[in-house]
Amino acid sequence: MGLLFQPIKKEKMVQMPVLTLAHMGDCVFELMARSYVANQGIFLAKTAHQKTVHLVSARAQCKMIHGIMDKLTEEEKAYYMRGRNSKPKTMSKNADISEYLAATGLETLFGALYFEGKQERIEELFALCIEVQEGKVESI
């Protein structure tokens, strides 16, 4: 799969702290968001940054995960729940605790999928997240 996607064996990944998965998922999700914004033709740095920040905010990610929950496999839901139930050391200043934990769960899911080497599934779920964000799919 190359430098960016090097799968990790499941037994090793299960030992990984949940916030490590979330840390990687945050990176993956932001890269997807930045790519999405660029593909929308938003090239001015300030505008691209603002649009990206909006997509990766805890509030937006909370809305997204609730909108795609019924599309997740049982294993994916377990990763989400593992992240949502984590005890993060920091908190968002622009979201409440439930939004922040839901966003951490989404990031954990994306981190786990990244480490499993499931690039296509990451792209599929991200596309669904964008549909939720744009109002094409209703969020719960």
Side-chain angles (χ1 to χ4, degrees):
M1 283 204 119
L3 180 62
L4 291 179
F5 282 92
Q6 294 187 0
I8 292 177
K9 291 184 179 179
K10 205 160 210 137
E11 53 273 5
K12 187 174 181 181
M13 195 174 68
V14 171
Q15 297 170 357
M16 204 177 280
V18 69
L19 294 179
T20 300
L21 294 173
H23 173 73
M24 182 55 75
D26 177 56
C27 176
V28 169
F29 198 90
E30 182 157 349
L31 180 60
M32 299 287 295
R34 287 176 181 232
S35 296
Y36 172 76
V37 168
N39 281 311
Q40 295 299 300
I42 302 170
F43 301 130
L44 293 175
K46 181 178 179 182
T47 307
H49 174 72
Q50 290 169 337
K51 177 73 173 170
T52 301
V53 166
H54 178 71
L55 289 173
V56 302
S57 72
R59 184 160 286 136
Q61 288 181 336
C62 177
K63 177 182 174 184
M64 290 173 192
I65 189 63
H66 287 106
I68 68 167
M69 190 63 73
D70 63 337
K71 306 284 193 273
L72 301 180
T73 67
E74 290 306 312
E75 182 180 38
E76 290 167 347
K77 286 178 184 177
Y79 281 124
Y80 164 74
M81 292 302 292
R82 191 172 159 206
R84 192 195 73 180
N85 294 334
S86 67
K87 304 284 187 252
K89 306 261 186 285
T90 61
M91 236 6 95
S92 172
K93 57 186 175 229
N94 297 314
D96 64 36
I97 184 72
S98 65
E99 291 170 329
Y100 187 77
L101 291 175
T104 302
L106 177 68
E107 291 169 350
T108 301
L109 169 59
F110 272 73
L113 292 172
Y114 172 83
F115 282 128
E116 288 180 355
K118 295 184 176 178
Q119 183 176 356
E120 285 181 33
R121 184 62 174 156
I122 290 170
E123 291 170 2
E124 181 181 331
L125 290 178
F126 184 80
L128 289 170
C129 285
I130 293 300
E131 287 181 11
V132 170
Q133 187 63 21
E134 292 178 348
K136 295 176 184 172
V137 173
E138 203 168 307
S139 180
I140 298 172

